[in-house]
Structure formats: C-alpha cells, structure tokens
C-alpha cells in the first residue's frame, strides 16, 4: 500500500476512533459509558464490563495497526495506553469487590456475584447487589480472554503480584461455568425475565475460551520467572466443552437459539472445536433470527418493541406470543458475522454481510453510525405479524451502540487491509475450529514395594517402585487438589485459592514441576483414605480403562498424558486379581480397549509427557505416597472381629481390615459408623446437574432432598443423613449409588434418556427387588444380600437396570402384588363406619403431626392387628428392608390378642418411624386394612403386607386421579405434600384403592 494512501487510511480510522471511543473515555477511570442515552429502558451512561471490553477492541486494533506501519508514531502509544487504561480501570473496579469473588467461589450464589456495571466516573458500584442480574459469566470471561489476547499482543495490563493473584481468582470464579446458571449476556436469565438464572451456552463458551487462552500465560509478558503465570485446571475446560456439545445449537433451556452464540462460535471466543456444530449453530441463528435490519436476540423477545410495557419487569409465558415476528432486530450481529467471515477468509460471506450492513448506518455529523436496534412501528405491527419482513423499521435513539460500532471499525480496518486477523487474535483462537490431535497415553506401572515388583516380574510385567523413580515423586490426587487451593492465595486481598475440589484424571495426567520438584499424581480413584472403591480391583480397573478412553478423546495439552497405575499388595491377593492382570497384559501390548498406550520406565516416559510448572507457592508441603498394611489379611478374620465383643481393634482398623478382605457388608457398616464419605460426591452432583438432571436422596416424599443445582459435600452428606432411613448402612449405600450414577452419567449418558430425576432410593428398591426375585428371598433378606456385593457387582446391576429400566420397574411392581385367596367385599367396609368428629380441623397436615407425636392408641388397635395377622403372612411397619420391621403371623401362635408384649412390639415399630406425620399415616393405613379384614373373615393374603408399599401406591393413585397419569414421577414431592393434607376419610379411600390395585397385576409407576 502506498505511503500516502496508508497514512490517510489510518488517519480516517483514527478520526473515527477518537470521536466515537476516545472522546467518551473517562480521564480518571479510563472507563466508557455504554451510550449517552437515558430513557425508559435504563441509564446507559454506566460502564458495563462487557460493553467496555468490546468498545475498546477497535482502539486496540488500531494501536496494533499503527505499531506495524508507524511504530514510532505517538498514536501507537496513545492508542495502546488508552486500551491499557480501560482494562486496568475494569481491573481496579473488580478488585474493589474481591470480597465478592471470594464468597462466590464457594457459594455460587448470584447475590455474591461481581457487579456487571460500574460508575463510569468512579469505578464504584452503581446499583445494589439484588437490584440487577449481576451474575454474567460471559462478561467476566471476555475480560479475562482479552487480558490474555492483549498481553500476548505485547501490552502489559497487569502490573503487580497482587493483581496476578486477583486474575487467578477470576479464573477460579469462572472455572465452573459449566454448572453455573447465570443471567447471561442479556442480563435476564430465563427469557420470561422472572429473574430465574439458567445455564447459557454463550456464557459457558466465553468462559471456556477465557480459560484456554489464559492457561499458562505469564501476565508479566515474556519473562523467565513464573510468578505471574496463570494456572487453569484442565477438567474445567473439558466439562465446559461437554456442556457446549450437549446443549448447542440451543442457547439454554428457555431459548432454542440466540444471536449471542455468534460470539462463541466465531470471534472473539472460537470456543467450539467441532466444525459441523459451529456451522449448524450459525445456520440456525441465520434461519431463525436473521432479518433485514440485523438479527433478533432470540425468539419472542419483547425488548424495546413498540408494545413492550416498560413498567413491568417480566411477562407471563403465554404473553410472549404477542412479540412473535415483531422482535427488535440488532445490526450488532451483522458485525459479528462480517468479522467472523473476515477472519475465516470467506469472501462470499464477506460480501454478503457488507451489503446487509450498508443500509443500516445512520449518518450523523458526517459519521456513519450503527444504532442499537430497529423497531417495528406500532402502526405496522399487525402487518408485520401477518407478513414478517414486510414493514420498514425505525432505529431507536441509542446511537451509536458503541459495542457494535467498535466491532464494525475492526471490520473496516481489515477491509482496508491495515489490520490482519493475527493482530487481534495473537493466541490463534480461530485455529480451534476443526482442531484435533493424536493422543497416546503414557502409562507407568508402579509397584507398592519390592515384594510386589518381584511378584509382577514373575508374572511377566516390568514395574518400578516409588523409590526406583526418585527424584520423581508419586502422590495421591488429593495432594494436587490441596496444591490448587494455594493458587492465587493472597492475604492482603483476603483471597483464598481454588476451592478444594477433586482433581479429575485429565488434571492429574501430567508431570508437575512444583518448586522444582518433579511429581506425578495417581488418578483420584486410587486414594484409599476416602471411600472403599479403591479396594475393589474390578471397579478400579473399569475406572482406569474409562480414564484412558476419556484421555484419548479429550486430551488437549502440549505433550502426552501420563497416568501411573499403582499395584498394591492386596491387589494381587484377592480372587479378583485376574482383572488387574488382564489390564496389565493389555497395557503391555500397547493397546487398551482399542486405544493406543505406551508403557515404560518413568524417566523415559517423562521425556514426551505434558508438564506444568508451578512456582512460588507459599507454604506448600505435599505429602509423599504412603501405603501401610495395618494387619496382614490372613492373620485376623474381619467377620470374627466384628462379632467379637472383646475385640481390641478400633473401627478404623477394622474398616481397613475388612476392606483388604473384601468383606463388603462389614465394610459398609463400618464406613457408616466411622463417617466415611467420598470427596467426589459434589463432583458427581455437578455431572448430574450440568446434564439438566436432578438428584433425589432418601424417600421420594421429601422435596427438600432433591438437588437441582451444585452443593458441597457437607450439604450433600447432611441431606443424606437427614432423609435416608434407618436401614443398615443406608447412608453409605446411597453415596455408592450416587457415585455409580455419576460415573454412568459421564460415560453412558444415553442410559438416562427420559429420566429427569434420579432417585437413589428407587434404584435401591430395584436392586433389592432384582436380588429377591433371583434368590427367592424376602425383601429384608434381599437387602442384606445387597450389602454383601462388591461395589463393582452393584455397579453392573445398576447399569443393567438402566439398560432395561421399564422392564425392571414392571418387575418390581409385579413383586409388590399381593396373592390372595378369596375376593374381599369392599362395599361393606364403609357401611357402619364410625363418624369421627373432626369438624374443627383446618389443616390435616398439622393434625397428623400432632397425632403422630401423641401416638395415642387403644387396646382395640393392637388386638385388631393380632387378628389381622391371622389372615396374612405378616405385617411390615416402617423400613421395609429392615428385618426387624416385620411382625410375622407366626407370632399369633405364641401370643394372645391382649398380651402387653405384643402391643409393645407394635408400638416399638411405630415409634421407630422418625417422622410423626408419616407415623400417623401408617396408623391410618393399618386401620383401613383392619376394616377390610374384619368385614371379610374368609379372605387371606399369602404375602407380607408392607405399609410403605401400600402408602406409596395410595399417594400415587390420589395424585393421578386429580392430575392425570404420566407426571407422577417428577411430582412425587408435591404428591406427598398433597396427601398429608387429605382428611382421614380421603386417605382411607386411597388406602382401599391401593390395596385393590395390589391384588391384581398392573403397570403403573409407584
């Protein structure tokens, strides 16, 4: 380009940038107002984080252009420092809210979020915490992304170590975007604008891009020391990728698409590697949202339309239809499409979007400006509804939308050939589209000690002990999690590091250079200090294989992943050692499950392994690998010690002993007694929630026990303890079911199609029913048998249940059917029923609470049960899987109807029901059954009468009578609440109907 032409071209661009951007920049804070407009839709003179970052991009782009062509020109420095000033203004505003960053890392509560906008002239908060939808992950993320890009371009945004620590904490702040429902780019969350947050792909994608861009970046620039290097946990990126792949081309649950997605499938994020998914998402946006004047934000968007009621914060769902076809159209999105085409060198698309943008500019004082949006005039609304696209629209008064103008100015510079794609994308984010790599996982076989090493050698396998590989250290994954908690820790800012979270395999699968010390970490499931899964060889091998599979498809770091496989003494002693040996044979052959692997000596493997360097971590003292045998497994019998009242072994020692001997029933009992839990619970809950599922623990009728958003381990464990019943080891078994469900959710998500709420207790019921059928056992004994199974056996059964879920459900219901001789006369039940004078009762729920606490029962009540037992096999009151909950008919052979001992046994079972209102329901159910049997003395049931089952069916039947079939499973909590509110007369009718339904085969869902 000729010198004079180049100079005049740059002069023209500088004039535009100066008038539209720099003239508005506050001289003190460096911040920009979103606009000069103040109208019914808000005060646009505040400094929005998102708008500021987008607005300064044109200044940055022109600075880079001047640097290339006229490096010594004063404008190079002026434009560069104006960019730095704005970015530092945002950084300062956020750092004043470091307390919010600290709280949010742990709470994930929108009320604790960083503010989305600040005072342009002060950098301070301008609106209350609860007066705005502040939680906008995409806004914080684009700020981080552009810190990375601008730093890579040669600017220095961050000056001090305190600022480095704060940016590291911003990384922690956005790291769990894949499970954080936010208000999104339009600050409203769900499109109805009720203030309900939801997971938005545009937020998750921007966060993923930011994490990838800043990982390993030195914020002090090209310097040798690593104090300013930012660290990102690889599993956070992998999970964000999974969330995007599972949701796109949708934006969220409430929005089938959104023009905001253009920012993540193209510039600036380039967050999607799958080119087909990028194209599919872009095509859907163009098809559904594109108009003459720009793109609609999303379908049925009423913002700034002529019929919008600005006095209301939201509309009811049925009202949104009024906005169909008349949604405002935003030229902003044509600038995204043009910029994307320019960076892709798609000449046809460049011409297309240039032509579409040209007529949308409004000339003012000699400048071509882009308005915020175009509106259908009120008088044309009906015409536009009948014939979309037929009306001439008018621009709103927000001129220009600086965000849109800035993006267009970048396009204009590129069209004039004074700016190149690589200038504004120095980290080459655009190369992510279609990015693939070949992964060959490195596997190091580590023997616990020389004895195990020799045993393996005798079997034909080479291995090394931890001593053999020194100075390289082997440590448990929990130590890496602990190390992460120190990243970004800053006492002056009152910031901790990353919250303690389980380090997943994709995170542990590299060599870490920690303060100069080389360390490799075992996968998280090898840690014996947590749950007992690591003692089940077959399950451990299953998890290891799956880890290799996941690394093969998801690894995206420089270098190859390295995964140690630890062989302990006990792994070669048990009957399931064959699973370990089979795996070792595969690894030795160079392939495992069809995936390429490489084994060898650790020193050799590390030459091609991925490496992460972590320096200057104060107070880091990582614990070395320790595997101690508390007792030789063949010296003491675990079961004998458990039954020995004078045992000198404490519960912790017994737990370790039983784990080594695979005495799984006692392992689970001791795990519950010693309060064992798995650190992965909160992690697994995340896996469930990010797939738009819910997790219910305990009994189905506790709505409070349903998780629909992330929670920490303490909350999950507290809920399990509160809502699980008193069956043996039920709390630990519930944890186990959750862990298996989470594992299957990650690796076989198709098994959970059409299941929204995963109910742990229902899966326990299905497992018990399966064992009961196979071994012809009563439910109580089948439950005890379930506890004796290894974790892997339960996992396999659970997987099979999910594979044939409908069949298993029908089988369970068939098992609950009652086999009877004779046909009961049910009409006679209500004849002569005693009228209960309860006219003053206003709330039957409260009445049941009071009656259940008093539990005042007549002698007649106990005698009636005695006589009823002569017409059935037995009665189960309370926990149906607890053998002590059953009163058998054989008891009538050794007692009489009026014996106090018999009454005390019944009372003890009723008092064992912790919830007084449910205790009262049991009493009412017994009274209903007594009436049936009294009126039908020849009628006999050949099975046990299980009150839990009867009441469950009664609740379902009552709910479905009023609300129809098909929605009960997802409404169980509401159904139980409603049942507690029913009168005794209504519950009696429900119990009778439930009893009748159990007398015949059926296929309803209980």
């Amino acid at each position: 380009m000729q010198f004079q032409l180049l100079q005049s071209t740059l002069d023209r661009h500088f004039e535009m940038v100066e008038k539209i951007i720099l003239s508005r920049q506050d001289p003190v804070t460096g911040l920009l107002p979103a606009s000069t407009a103040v109208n019914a839709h808000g005060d646009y003179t505040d400094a929005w984080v998102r708008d500021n970052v987008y607005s300064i991009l044109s200044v940055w782009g022109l600075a880079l252009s001047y640097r290339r062509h006229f490096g010594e020109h004063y404008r190079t420095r002026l434009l560069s420092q104006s960019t730095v000033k704005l970015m530092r203004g945002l950084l300062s505003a956020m750092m004043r809210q470091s307390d919010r960053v600290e709280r949010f890392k742990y709470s994930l509560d929108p009320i604790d979020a960083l503010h989305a906008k600040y005072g342009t002239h002060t950098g301070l908060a301008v609106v209350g915490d609860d007066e705005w939808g502040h939680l906008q992950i995409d806004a914080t993320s684009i700020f981080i992304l552009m810190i990375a890009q601008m730093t890579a371009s040669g600017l220095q945004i961050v000056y001090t170590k305190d600022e480095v620590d704060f940016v590291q904490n911003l990384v922690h702040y956005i790291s769990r975007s894949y499970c954080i429902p936010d208000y999104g780019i339009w600050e409203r969350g769900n499109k109805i604008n009720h203030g309900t947050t939801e997971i938005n792909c545009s937020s998750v994608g921007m966060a993923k891009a930011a994490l990838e861009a800043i990982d390993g970046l030195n914020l002090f620039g090209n310097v040798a020391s690593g104090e300013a290097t930012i660290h990102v946990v690889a599993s956070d990126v992998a999970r964000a990728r999974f969330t995007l792949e599972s949701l796109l081309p949708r934006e969220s649950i409430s929005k089938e698409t959104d023009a905001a997605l253009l920012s993540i499938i193209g510039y600036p994020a380039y967050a999607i590697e799958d080119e087909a998914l990028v194209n599919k998402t872009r095509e859907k946006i163009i098809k559904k949202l594109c108009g003459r004047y720009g793109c609609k934000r999303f379908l049925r968007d009423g913002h700034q339309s002529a019929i919008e009621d600005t006095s209301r914060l939201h509309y009811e769902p049925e009202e949104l239809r009024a906005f169909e076809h008349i949604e405002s159209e935003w030229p902003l999105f044509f600038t995204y499409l043009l910029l994307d085409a320019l960076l892709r060198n798609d000449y046809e698309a460049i011409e297309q979007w240039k032509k579409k943008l040209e007529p949308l500019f409004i000339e003012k004082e000699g400048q071509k400006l882009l308005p915020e949006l175009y509106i259908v005039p009120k008088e044309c609304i009906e015409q536009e509804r009948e014939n979309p696209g037929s009306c001439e629209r008018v621009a709103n008064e927000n001129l220009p939308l600086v965000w849109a103008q800035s993006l267009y100015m970048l396009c204009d510079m590129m069209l004039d050939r004074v700016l190149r794609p690589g200038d504004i994308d120095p980290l080459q984010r655009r190369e992510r589209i279609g990015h693939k790599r070949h992964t060959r996982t490195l596997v190091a076989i580590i023997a616990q000690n020389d004895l195990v090493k020799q045993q393996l050698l005798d079997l034909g396998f080479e291995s090394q002990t931890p001593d053999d590989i020194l100075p390289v250290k082997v440590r448990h994954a929990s130590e890496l999690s602990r190390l992460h908690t120190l990243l970004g820790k800053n006492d002056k800012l009152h910031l901790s590091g990353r919250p303690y979270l389980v380090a997943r395999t994709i995170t542990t699968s590299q060599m870490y250079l920690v303060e100069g010390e080389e360390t490799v970490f075992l996968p998280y499931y090898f840690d014996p200090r947590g749950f007992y899964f690591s003692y089940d060889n077959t399950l451990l091998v299953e998890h290891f294989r799956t880890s290799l599979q996941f690394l093969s498809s998801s690894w995206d770091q420089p270098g190859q992943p390295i995964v140690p496989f630890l062989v302990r003494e006990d792994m070669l002693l048990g009957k399931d050692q064959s699973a370990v040996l089979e795996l070792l044979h595969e690894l030795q052959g160079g392939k495992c499950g069809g995936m390429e692997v490489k084994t060898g000596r650790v020193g050799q493997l590390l030459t091609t392994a991925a490496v992460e360097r972590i320096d200057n971590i104060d107070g880091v003292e990582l614990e070395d690998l320790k595997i101690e045998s508390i007792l030789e497994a063949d010296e003491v019998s675990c079961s004998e010690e458990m039954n020995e009242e004078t045992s000198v072994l404490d519960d912790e020692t017994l737990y370790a002993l039983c784990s080594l001997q695979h005495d799984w029933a006692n392992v689970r009992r001791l795990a519950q007694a010693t309060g064992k839990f798995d650190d992965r619970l909160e992690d697994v809950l995340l896996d469930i929630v990010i797939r738009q599922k819910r997790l219910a623990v305990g009994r189905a009728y506790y709505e409070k026990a349903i998780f629909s958003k992330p929670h920490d381990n303490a909350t999950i464990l507290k809920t399990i303890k509160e809502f699980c019943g008193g069956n043996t080891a039920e709390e630990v078994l519930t944890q186990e079911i959750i862990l298996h469900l989470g594992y299957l959710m990650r690796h076989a998500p198709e098994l959970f199609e059409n299941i929204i709420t995963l109910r742990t207790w229902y899966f326990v019921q299905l497992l018990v029913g399966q064992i009961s059928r196979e071994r012809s056992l009563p439910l109580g004994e089948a439950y005890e048998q379930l506890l004796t199974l290894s974790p892997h056996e339960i996992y396999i059964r659970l997987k099979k249940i999910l594979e044939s879920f409908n069949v298993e459900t029908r089988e369970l219901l068939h098992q609950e059917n009652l086999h009877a001789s004779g046909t009961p006369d049910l009409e006679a039940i209500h004849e002569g029923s005693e009228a209960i004078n309860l006219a003053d009762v206003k709330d039957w729920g409260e009445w049941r609470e009071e009656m259940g606490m008093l539990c005042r029962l007549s002698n007649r009540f106990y005698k009636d049960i005695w006589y009823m037992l002569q017409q059935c096999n037995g009665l189960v009151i309370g926990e149906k899987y607890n053998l002590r909950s059953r009163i058998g008919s054989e008891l009538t052979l050794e007692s009489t109807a009026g014996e106090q001992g018999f009454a005390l046994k019944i009372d003890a079972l009723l008092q064992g029901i912790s919830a007084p209102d449910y205790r009262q329901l049991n009493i009412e159910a017994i009274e209903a059954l007594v009436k049936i049997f009294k009126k039908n003395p020849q009628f006999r049931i050949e099975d046990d009468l299980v009150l839990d089952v009867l009441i469950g069916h009664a609740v379902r039947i009552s709910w479905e009578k009023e609300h129809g079939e098909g929605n009960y499973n997802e409404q169980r909590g509401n159904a139980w609440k409603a049942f507690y509110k029913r009168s005794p007369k209504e519950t009696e009718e429900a119990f009778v109907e439930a009893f009748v339904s159990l007398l015949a085969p059926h296929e309803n869902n209980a």
Side-chain angles (χ1 to χ4, degrees):
M1 188 181 288
Q2 295 180 357
F3 178 82
Q4 293 295 334
L5 178 59
L6 174 62
Q7 190 172 41
S8 63
T9 301
L10 287 175
D11 285 344
R12 180 176 67 82
H13 286 295
F14 181 80
E15 183 182 350
M16 287 283 287
V17 163
E18 186 176 43
K19 286 184 178 179
I20 296 172
I21 310 290
L22 297 182
S23 65
R24 299 166 188 252
Q25 188 172 25
D26 186 86
V28 177
T29 66
L31 301 179
L32 290 164
S35 172
T36 55
V38 179
N39 54 38
H41 300 285
D43 182 352
Y44 291 89
T45 61
D46 294 329
W48 270 261
V49 173
R50 181 188 305 102
D51 291 61
N52 267 251
V53 175
Y54 274 116
S55 297
I56 208 65
L57 292 185
S58 57
V59 181
W60 174 51
L62 189 57
L64 296 172
S65 184
Y66 265 97
R67 188 173 72 184
R68 169 177 285 108
H69 300 292
F70 300 104
E72 299 304 315
H73 199 292
Y74 83 96
R75 286 176 179 171
T76 303
R77 182 74 174 170
L78 171 67
L79 294 164
S80 296
Q81 292 311 112
S82 296
T83 303
V84 170
K85 189 171 182 65
L86 179 137
M87 295 296 284
R88 287 192 58 75
L90 289 175
L91 180 62
S92 296
M94 293 181 190
M95 287 183 73
R96 291 189 187 97
Q97 296 193 341
S98 61
D99 58 321
R100 312 188 64 74
V101 174
E102 181 64 16
R103 288 200 302 273
F104 183 81
K105 287 187 305 182
Y106 296 94
S107 72
L108 304 184
D109 190 332
I111 203 70
D112 294 328
L114 280 169
H115 281 204
K117 62 176 185 173
Y118 301 93
T120 302
H121 306 301
T122 64
L124 301 176
V126 290
V127 66
D129 298 344
D130 57 353
E131 295 172 359
W132 202 263
H134 285 299
L135 181 54
Q136 299 168 32
I137 294 294
D138 76 296
T140 309
S141 298
I142 195 172
F143 174 69
I144 296 172
L145 172 60
M146 285 308 157
I147 282 180
Q149 290 278 30
M150 290 174 180
T151 301
S153 77
L155 299 184
Q156 186 168 354
I157 310 296
V158 174
Y159 292 171
T160 69
K161 184 61 169 62
D162 292 328
E163 291 173 359
V164 171
D165 289 338
F166 182 77
V167 173
Q168 180 67 68
N169 273 274
L170 287 183
V171 167
H172 301 326
Y173 180 93
I174 68 166
S175 64
R176 286 185 281 173
S177 64
Y178 52 84
C179 68
I180 301 175
D182 73 340
Y183 293 105
I185 193 169
W186 310 126
E187 306 184 310
R188 64 195 293 152
N190 187 288
K191 71 178 181 181
I192 300 171
N193 205 19
H194 276 96
T196 304
T197 55
E198 61 181 1
I199 291 177
N200 294 284
C201 277
S202 55
S203 291
V204 178
M206 197 62 72
K208 174 178 177 286
L211 294 173
E212 290 174 327
I214 207 161
D215 186 23
L217 188 77
N218 192 319
L219 294 180
F220 287 168
N222 190 20
V223 296
S225 61
E227 291 93 342
T229 300
I230 297 298
H231 301 276
V232 172
V233 175
S235 58
D236 292 333
V237 175
R239 282 176 150 175
R241 181 184 297 116
F242 180 86
T243 298
L244 291 167
E245 289 174 352
S246 63
L247 278 176
L248 286 172
R250 290 176 292 143
E251 159 73 339
S252 64
I253 290 176
S254 73
K255 296 187 277 287
E256 63 172 286
T257 188
D258 192 309
L261 293 172
L262 292 171
S263 68
I264 69 163
I265 63 171
Y267 192 82
Y270 294 105
I272 314 301
E273 291 84 3
D274 186 341
E275 190 169 4
L277 185 55
V278 169
N279 293 333
K280 183 179 180 181
T281 303
R282 185 190 301 114
E283 287 163 9
K284 187 170 184 179
I285 291 169
I286 293 171
K287 179 182 177 181
K288 296 273 187 179
L289 303 176
C290 192
R292 266 198 296 161
Y293 296 86
C295 291
K296 304 170 177 64
R297 297 192 304 179
F298 49 87
L299 297 175
R300 298 186 177 183
D301 173 23
H303 181 61
Q304 295 202 41
S305 69
I307 62 170
E308 182 187 28
D309 183 352
T310 57
S311 67
R312 297 174 60 187
L313 289 175
H314 65 267
Y315 288 89
E316 297 306 320
E318 62 273 9
E319 294 179 290
L320 291 179
R321 190 173 182 181
F323 302 117
E324 194 166 12
H325 302 312
I326 64 165
E327 302 95 332
S328 300
E329 293 180 355
W330 298 57
L332 164 69
F333 299 112
F334 284 177
T335 68
Y336 275 109
L337 288 161
L338 176 57
L339 188 56
D340 176 52
L342 284 162
L343 269 78
R344 288 188 291 115
N345 290 317
D346 186 338
Y347 300 111
E348 185 179 338
I350 291 170
E351 289 304 312
Q352 176 188 1
W353 299 114
K354 269 176 59 182
K355 287 179 182 177
K356 281 187 172 290
L357 267 168
E358 192 58 40
L360 304 182
F361 290 97
I362 295 174
E363 191 163 325
K364 183 178 180 182
E365 298 176 2
Q367 294 176 322
K368 292 167 59 178
L369 305 177
L370 280 173
E372 180 182 25
L373 50 83
Y374 280 87
I375 303 164
V376 178
K378 199 165 189 176
E379 62 273 15
C380 297
I381 284 177
E382 288 307 318
Q383 178 188 333
E384 184 72 10
R385 282 174 175 159
E386 291 177 12
N387 188 12
S390 63
C391 289
E392 296 297 320
R393 292 172 176 246
V394 295
N396 74 340
E397 59 192 25
N398 190 3
L399 183 75
L401 178 63
V402 183
W403 169 2
Q405 196 75 32
S406 178
L407 289 179
Y408 178 73
M409 287 192 283
L410 283 179
C411 296
D412 203 21
M413 292 177 218
M414 295 181 75
L415 289 168
D416 282 343
R417 299 182 184 278
V418 296
L419 188 68
R420 302 174 185 174
D423 293 335
I424 58 172
D425 184 24
L427 292 173
Q428 298 184 312
R429 293 292 310 160
R430 62 196 184 282
E431 301 298 325
R432 298 299 302 172
I433 297 178
H435 169 75
K436 292 179 181 177
R437 62 165 295 167
H438 176 71
T439 300
R440 188 182 186 190
T441 303
L442 312 173
V443 180
I445 309 301
I446 306 296
Q448 176 184 343
N449 50 37
D450 287 329
L451 173 63
V452 175
K453 179 181 176 181
Q454 185 60 49
Q455 285 179 294
L456 289 174
L457 190 61
D458 293 343
L459 292 165
F461 305 113
E462 294 243 352
S463 63
Q464 292 174 284
T465 67
D467 288 340
D468 291 338
I469 67 171
L470 290 174
V472 179
K473 296 289 186 72
V474 182
R475 293 185 166 104
H476 283 301
S478 55
E479 291 301 293
L480 181 56
S481 296
R482 202 162 60 82
L483 180 63
H484 285 157
T485 66
L486 302 175
L487 296 175
K489 188 175 184 295
N490 188 296
D491 293 335
K492 285 193 285 183
L493 291 169
H494 305 292
L495 291 169
S496 63
R498 175 181 168 89
Y500 184 93
L501 297 167
V502 173
R504 306 305 291 262
T505 306
I506 200 169
T507 304
T508 58
S509 297
Q510 54 188 337
M511 192 268 282
Y512 284 83
L513 198 60
V514 183
E515 300 288 7
E517 183 180 66
E518 295 177 314
T519 300
V520 290
F521 292 95
L522 293 165
Y524 62 90
Y525 39 79
F526 276 93
D527 195 339
R529 290 171 295 185
F531 226 41
Y532 43 82
F533 278 16
S534 63
Y535 291 99
D536 184 339
N537 283 355
T538 312
L539 188 67
L540 189 144
V541 166
E542 166 93 17
H543 285 188
F544 191 81
R545 289 181 193 276
T546 306
S547 293
L548 296 180
Q549 184 180 9
F550 182 72
L551 290 170
S552 178
S553 63
S554 303
W555 183 255
D556 198 28
Q557 306 293 316
Q560 297 292 354
I562 180 166
V563 189
F565 184 84
L566 174 67
V567 184
R568 302 184 309 264
E569 289 178 10
D570 62 282
M571 292 168 70
L572 299 178
L573 294 175
K575 61 182 180 181
D576 57 352
Q577 65 169 302
S578 58
V580 175
L581 300 181
E582 184 181 334
L583 174 69
L584 293 176
H585 272 295
E586 288 186 45
L587 294 174
Q588 197 174 56
K591 281 208 168 183
C592 184
M595 293 157 292
E596 286 187 56
V597 296
K598 180 182 178 181
T599 58
R601 301 183 74 79
V602 170
Q604 176 191 5
L605 297 176
L606 288 180
T607 60
T608 56
V611 179
E612 180 167 353
R613 175 181 166 185
I614 302 178
D615 291 329
N616 295 291
I617 300 293
D618 293 332
V620 59
E621 286 186 21
L622 299 182
E623 186 178 316
D624 289 340
L625 183 69
K626 291 179 182 177
I627 309 170
E628 297 177 0
S629 298
I630 301 174
L631 286 169
E632 290 297 330
D634 56 354
E635 287 183 3
V636 182
S637 167
C638 173
S639 56
E640 288 178 9
E641 288 293 322
M642 288 290 292
N643 294 325
E644 182 61 57
E645 293 182 9
T646 59
S647 173
V648 295
L649 302 179
D650 59 45
D651 283 351
E652 286 289 349
T653 306
L654 278 170
Y655 171 75
L657 177 63
C658 291
S659 297
L660 287 169
Q661 296 182 353
H662 295 179
D663 185 346
W664 298 115
N666 282 323
V667 165
R668 292 183 175 100
R669 290 185 179 94
L670 287 162
Q672 182 152 319
T674 55
K676 296 290 182 188
F677 70 93
D678 197 297
D679 281 339
R680 292 170 288 171
L681 280 176
E682 59 189 36
D683 215 35
V684 168
L685 179 59
L686 286 180
D687 286 324
I688 292 169
V689 169
I690 64 175
R691 288 163 176 82
Q692 317 302 311
K693 308 288 186 187
R694 304 192 305 168
L695 176 70
V697 300
R699 302 300 189 263
Y701 39 85
Y702 289 119
E703 191 69 24
K704 291 179 182 177
I706 296 179
F707 297 107
S708 56
K709 62 181 182 179
H711 287 279
D712 59 20
N713 282 328
T715 303
I716 298 169
L717 290 167
K718 181 182 176 184
T719 306
I720 289 173
K721 189 171 187 64
E722 182 177 356
F723 293 107
C724 282
N727 288 314
T728 307
E730 186 181 333
E731 293 170 29
V732 164
L733 185 60
T734 297
Q735 288 189 56
E736 194 170 326
I737 298 295
I738 292 172
L739 293 169
H740 288 322
L741 290 175
Y743 179 82
L744 287 166
M745 180 73 73
R746 287 194 303 277
H747 304 295
E750 68 280 359
L751 295 177
F752 298 89
E753 288 179 8
N754 304 318
I755 302 177
I756 297 174
T757 304
L758 308 178
R759 299 183 181 276
T760 58
W761 182 243
Y762 194 55
F763 284 111
V764 171
Q765 288 178 292
L766 292 170
L767 287 165
V768 171
Q770 195 181 69
I771 294 169
S772 174
R773 291 194 303 276
E774 291 172 0
R775 305 183 185 182
S776 301
L777 294 173
L779 293 178
E781 291 180 27
Y783 179 82
E784 294 296 323
Q785 283 293 307
L786 175 65
L787 296 181
T788 67
L789 301 181
S790 71
H792 185 258
E793 288 174 302
I794 290 180
Y795 161 76
I796 291 297
R797 284 179 176 274
L798 197 58
K799 185 179 180 183
K800 287 181 179 177
I801 282 171
L802 284 162
E803 287 169 345
S804 56
F805 187 72
N806 291 334
V807 173
E808 291 291 339
T809 301
R810 285 196 295 270
E811 287 291 338
L812 177 63
L813 293 170
H814 179 72
Q815 275 185 282
E816 292 176 348
N817 286 342
L818 298 172
H819 302 88
S821 57
T823 304
D825 178 7
L826 300 175
E827 293 297 325
I829 294 172
H830 303 296
E831 295 175 10
S833 291
E834 295 177 18
I836 307 174
N837 184 18
L838 296 171
D840 294 335
V841 176
K842 294 179 181 178
D843 187 321
W844 290 111
E846 290 181 5
W847 175 83
R848 283 196 173 86
E849 190 94 22
E850 293 170 4
M851 295 298 292
M853 284 190 282
L854 290 172
C855 201
R856 186 179 294 149
L857 301 167
S858 67
N859 287 333
R860 184 73 256 169
F861 176 82
Y862 302 109
K863 288 180 180 179
D864 286 340
I865 293 176
W866 190 91
Y867 286 114
M868 182 173 68
L869 283 173
Q870 293 190 319
Q871 292 177 256
C872 66
N873 193 55
L875 180 67
V876 179
I877 303 173
E879 303 290 353
K880 62 183 174 183
Y881 298 146
N882 189 329
L883 294 173
R884 292 188 292 271
S885 296
R886 180 179 181 271
I887 293 285
S889 59
E890 62 274 10
L891 196 61
T892 61
L893 300 176
E894 60 184 67
S895 64
T896 59
E899 279 187 20
Q900 181 70 6
F902 178 80
L904 288 173
K905 287 181 180 179
I906 300 295
D907 188 66
L909 292 178
L910 288 170
Q911 295 302 328
I913 300 171
S914 58
D917 48 359
Y918 189 60
R919 185 184 305 134
Q920 177 60 25
L921 272 188
N922 274 262
I923 292 168
E924 292 171 44
I926 290 172
E927 289 171 339
L929 289 171
V930 163
K931 286 186 180 181
I932 293 173
F933 285 97
K934 267 189 176 181
K935 294 291 183 180
N936 297 275
Q938 304 306 314
F939 181 65
R940 179 170 174 78
I941 296 292
E942 298 167 13
D943 307 288
D944 288 349
L945 292 169
V946 183
L947 294 185
D948 266 0
V949 171
L950 180 73
I951 296 171
H953 281 280
V955 173
R956 174 186 56 79
I957 290 168
S958 296
W959 179 261
E960 290 181 346
K961 282 175 72 174
E962 291 187 3
H963 300 88
E965 296 183 11
N967 71 337
Y968 173 70
N969 278 331
E970 292 306 321
Q971 296 293 329
R972 288 185 186 225
N974 292 329
W976 279 87
K977 283 181 187 175
F979 197 76
Y980 279 120
K981 298 288 186 183
R982 297 187 183 280
S983 70
K985 185 175 185 301
E986 291 173 312
T987 58
E988 180 183 280
E989 290 173 356
F991 292 139
V992 172
E993 283 191 63
F995 183 76
V996 172
S997 75
L998 290 170
L999 290 176
H1002 52 78
E1003 296 188 3
N1004 293 320
N1005 289 326

